[in-house]
Amino acid sequence: MFINFWYAAEQSENVTDKPVGVHMLGQDFVLFRDTSGQVHCLSNVCAHRGAALAGGKVNGDCIECPYHGWQYNGGGQCTTIPAASKDVKIPKRARVDSYPTTERYGLIFAFLGDLPESERPPIMECKEYGQEGWRATTIVFDWDFDYKRSIENALDAAHNEFVHTTHVDKKEGDPFRVPPLDLIDHDWGTSFHIEMPAPAMFEEKMRDTADRAEPSIFHIYAGYHGVSSFWTFIEPTPKFIRRQHFYETPVDVGKTRIFTVDMRNNMRDPKDDERMVYMDTLVMNEDAKVLLGIRPVLQPTTNIKENFVQSDSHMAHYREKLKEWEAVGWRIDQDEVDRNKMKVAYAISSPARRTSKNWTLDPVPLVPAKTGVTTSNIANLDRNVRERKQE
Ligand code: FES
Ligand SMILES: [Fe+2]
């Protein structure tokens, strides 16, 4: 798992006047809204004696710990210690990490890391959300598989006719041959375009939107962004476009919460939402059936423990990209976290730790950066790699 990316923490509508506990990257967080409606994301471990803040309550602009009532503002600073006499100054160390948040596409995103704003990788865009002519449906899935396996599945053009038998024709003796893919590099990921035979299962209404009676080619544009977001743009017919955005949040090792935001430019009647959700859930369940059985649960540390063929080239590319993000020192040292599981409460370093020392919790340990690779040059590094490949 990696720090220094934006992760979808919860659906906006689920954070109202009560604190909400969220587990991400193997750590606990609390989300709450202040009186102005601004949502905050704090480390869930009270700096007093470690109680879970999410079990407390929202008190004005603060979250109040359920144990002894310490209150923390949105910046993570303790503002009230009820049991202390009035003339005792609140120690500076009475604070918890506070993470930048933003609300987009009906979701609350938290930046789990310590990068200053100018260096943060952006959230994967969902341009059509809220735009005229588009309709959104959002589904949240919780799975016991690793997000990296899920991203690779999303990039996998060879699995459709075997996994999605409900809506993809399997032509015996004439399998779909994945053509060599032109990978398009982006600052924070890679994408490709592929044409596939149209699915057999077509909703009648979809057919109605086609220019031709029997659409034969299905255009798919897909790519990943950062460690755990990906998008799939499907054009079943020239007039029917679906743009699916998957914000995957690593909950813990081998546990993933997937927020899907699915945009469509046709069948926009709210009555059709149910059919869209049904179809998306059907497809997700088909993928999950395979993903839950893959071993090892995590990606092997070397590709020679699997057999990559030409149609897996974009997965290999994703793995290379992960190595780049590891080289800048963003990967959590999970072995160290696990070793200390029962005796150390960690917090992911928040941006404030860059400028201020003396925190109560230890920072989540990270795999050390490779010499000469710094967090401030990651985007440049990315571009350099791309330019080198183009030469
Ligand atoms: S543990 Fe939170 S106030 Fe004491
Ligand atoms: Fe799939």
Side-chain angles (χ1 to χ4, degrees), residues 114-129:
D114 62 353
L115 288 183
E117 194 172 356
S118 60
E119 293 177 27
R120 290 172 202 157
I123 295 170
M124 182 177 73
E125 264 194 306
C126 175
K127 289 192 185 124
E128 301 78 18
Y129 194 89

Side-chain angles (χ1 to χ4, degrees), residues 153-154 156 159-160 163-164 283-284 286-287:
N153 171 68
D156 189 341
H159 81 292
N160 292 305
V163 173
H164 303 303
V283 170
M284 181 79 247
E286 289 171 342
D287 285 317

Side-chain angles (χ1 to χ4, degrees), residues 45-53 64-72 82:
V45 183
C46 180
H48 179 211
R49 288 182 44 225
L53 297 176
E64 183 181 301
C65 180
Y67 205 1
H68 314 95
W70 286 27
Q71 290 179 23
Y72 298 87

